Amino acid sequence: MNVAGSPRFADTLLRGAVLALFVVSLGLLGAVVLVRGTMPAAYTDIGNATQLVASGAAAATAAWSYYRRGPDMLLVHGAFAAGTWTLANAFWYAYFILIGEGLNYPTVADLGFAGVFLFLIAGLQEGLARNRLSVLAAVPIALPLLGAGLGLVAVLGANAKTLTTLVVFTLSAALLSSALLRSAHRHPVLFAATVVFSLTHILNSLDSTLPDPPWVTNAAGALAAISFSLFAIAYLRHAGGEPA
Amino acid sequence: MILEFYLAASLPLFFLLVFLEGGQRRVLAFLVWGLTAGVISYYVNYHLYLALAASTLLPEVTMAPVVEEFMKALPLFVLLLVFGRRYSKELLVLAMASGFGFAILENYVFVTHFALEGAGAIAYAVMRGVTTSVMHGCMTAIIGFGIFLTYGFSRRSLPSILFGLYTVAVMIHALYNLLVGHTGVGRLLAIDLPLLLFVLLLVAYNWDVLFPKPAEAGE
């Protein structure tokens, strides 16, 4: 389906909205850097809401762009990825509100987050052409991440938390490697979104695994919102024929 | 008693399967699988509950959806990954049959567990019939319809898509179990969610009929 001749005001409106979300998300990240410690409850509420709105916006943007511009694998997988992340985070947040405590790690929400990685990897593989780089070019990305994941298992012991973190590190390595081998750097916003998304989940898993996590892991929520704002912008650019 | 109920319910259906052909046989086979998935999930969940009894986890929220959605959708995964079989949008109906088969068995477990009598029992059964049962059918149907929608994609990304669709079903199921266990707006939302999903799936399934392409509409 291609209805490119339809009014463009929706695109403009969406771009404005996701740019505003991006700015708010940057503000949240700035707050973490300024406080450098335990964040107040109000920050958590605002952060969780912003993440949900940003991921929902990314899903809607990808779906809308697919509807307007026609079949595109990057957009389909992007819509599935952002939609699944929204569901997983909505579950996590609802649990936090209703039960009054954080979910144990790992749990069903982490399964959802793992599914998002796979959708994003499939989106890159289906939506962008493979470049001429050898697979070995991904080794400098994959090796440190896998090494760090295995190192955590060795130091803290093999348990559900460390093994889940190893899975997250492995999925991050696979996602970043796919981005490299599919020349995602030619799509700067998409590349930035992919890197920030991986960083989000690396920090989140460290926050849940390390006995005394550093303050920087508090940035995971803000980074999630930033990554989905960037994904939304990338999908709009991609649908408009610009490099994503 | 659950194994006995399963055998009493499914064995006659095996005899019926002999007489059926084509699409009818497939739908009934998926329904029987749903009953089977119900029994297997019951025992797996039971042992997980025992193992996690001392933890702060809520197994019905955090474990049951993972086990149940996997068991219900297992034939879809096997058909695609092992046999490479391709179906039309009939896959939605087959998947939903598996979910409803599962729900029949689960309803038996819950109705007998609470041992209600009279109008209360009937009200409880009707309530489960239009909420939790529909939810089970719709969750598996989402996976089936998702697979149908992604037929054109390369085979390489099929495992990612299957796992992704599975996680979507698990997430909605977990959210439903979480909300339905509480009072207020959340519970009301959870009760309405299965019927809303059912209507959405019905519209998606009949999309070509409801919104025919211009050439078809002119005929």
Side-chain angles (χ1 to χ4, degrees):
Chain A
M1 184 184 295
N2 190 338
V3 283
S6 58
R8 290 169 184 271
F9 71 89
D11 277 359
T12 312
L13 201 67
L14 271 173
R15 278 194 189 220
V18 292
L19 270 174
L21 265 174
F22 180 63
V23 172
V24 171
S25 309
L26 282 178
L28 289 170
L29 182 64
V32 173
V33 175
L34 284 174
V35 173
R36 295 187 180 212
T38 308
M39 302 305 290
Y43 172 87
T44 309
D45 289 338
I46 295 168
N48 284 331
T50 310
Q51 289 167 45
L52 279 176
V53 173
S55 59
T61 303
W64 164 249
S65 301
Y66 180 87
Y67 172 74
R68 280 203 68 191
R69 312 294 177 186
D72 188 296
M73 296 299 109
L74 190 69
L75 297 174
V76 174
H77 287 291
F80 270 118
T84 308
W85 201 92
T86 308
L87 277 173
N89 206 37
F91 169 77
W92 184 89
Y93 196 31
Y95 192 99
F96 181 74
I97 292 170
L98 293 173
I99 310 295
E101 59 186 66
L103 267 169
N104 288 4
Y105 175 82
T107 187
V108 65
D110 296 294
L111 185 74
F113 294 139
V116 176
F117 272 99
L118 294 180
F119 273 130
L120 289 174
I121 292 168
L124 290 171
Q125 290 185 341
E126 297 268 329
L128 301 180
R130 172 80 163 83
N131 59 28
R132 293 167 64 187
L133 277 178
S134 161
V135 177
L136 293 174
V139 170
I141 294 172
L143 210 56
L145 281 169
L146 292 176
L150 288 169
L152 275 174
V153 175
V155 172
L156 299 173
N159 53 49
K161 286 185 177 183
T162 52
L163 292 175
T164 306
T165 299
L166 177 61
V167 170
V168 171
F169 277 44
T170 307
L171 287 170
S172 299
L175 178 62
L176 293 171
S177 302
S178 293
L180 180 73
L181 297 175
R182 302 275 154 182
S183 299
H185 63 280
R186 292 183 194 277
H187 305 272
V189 184
L190 182 70
F191 189 57
T194 306
V195 172
V196 176
F197 178 83
S198 300
L199 190 59
T200 298
H201 284 277
I202 288 169
L203 288 179
N204 184 55
S205 57
L206 287 175
D207 187 49
S208 306
T209 308
L210 294 175
D212 187 19
W215 65 266
V216 74
T217 58
N218 291 335
L223 289 175
I226 289 172
S227 72
F228 281 107
S229 305
L230 289 172
F231 274 125
I233 295 168
Y235 295 143
L236 282 172
R237 285 166 60 98
H238 182 68
E242 302 169 63
Chain B
M1 282 297 285
I2 187 168
L3 189 61
E4 290 84 341
F5 173 79
Y6 163 70
L7 292 171
S10 61
L11 286 177
L13 297 178
F14 278 108
F15 285 97
L16 184 58
L17 273 175
V18 176
F19 277 90
L20 297 179
E21 292 176 355
Q24 290 179 329
R25 177 183 277 183
R26 283 196 289 273
V27 171
L28 190 64
F30 269 79
L31 188 81
V32 173
W33 169 257
L35 288 165
T36 313
V39 174
I40 299 170
S41 300
Y42 174 82
Y43 286 112
V44 172
N45 282 335
Y46 178 74
H47 285 100
L48 281 173
Y49 287 12
L50 288 181
L52 300 168
S55 75
T56 54
L57 284 171
L58 297 176
E60 70 277 13
V61 173
T62 56
M63 298 305 299
V66 178
V67 175
E68 293 172 5
E69 291 310 326
F70 178 77
M71 292 311 303
K72 284 188 291 173
L74 193 57
L76 301 171
F77 302 150
V78 173
L79 279 174
L80 283 158
L81 290 174
V82 179
F83 299 110
R85 294 285 296 273
R86 298 271 156 159
Y87 286 105
S88 62
K89 64 180 179 182
E90 177 201 15
L91 212 55
L92 182 152
V93 180
L94 298 179
M96 192 176 270
S98 175
F100 282 147
F102 181 97
I104 289 169
L105 199 114
E106 196 187 58
N107 286 344
Y108 169 80
V109 172
F110 276 85
V111 168
T112 52
H113 176 74
F114 287 116
L116 296 169
E117 288 183 359
I122 292 171
Y124 179 73
V126 170
M127 198 61 184
R128 277 197 69 85
V130 297
T131 55
T132 310
S133 303
V134 178
M135 184 275 295
H136 276 301
C138 288
M139 288 309 98
T140 322
I142 284 174
I143 299 177
F145 195 60
I147 292 169
F148 161 69
L149 286 179
T150 53
Y151 269 170
F153 297 7
S154 79
R155 196 167 170 77
R156 188 182 46 200
S157 59
L158 194 59
S160 300
I161 291 165
L162 289 181
F163 185 75
L165 290 169
Y166 164 68
T167 60
V168 170
V170 170
M171 286 302 110
I172 302 176
H173 188 163
L175 200 55
Y176 173 84
N177 282 5
L178 177 67
L179 293 177
V180 85
H182 287 79
T183 53
V185 180
R187 185 171 209 173
L188 200 63
L189 191 73
I191 289 170
D192 292 336
L193 184 69
L195 288 175
L196 176 68
L197 279 171
F198 183 82
V199 171
L200 288 174
L201 282 167
L202 194 64
V203 170
Y205 187 76
N206 293 294
W207 188 265
D208 295 340
V209 179
L210 293 169
F211 307 101
K213 287 172 185 162
E216 294 170 10
E219 287 173 4

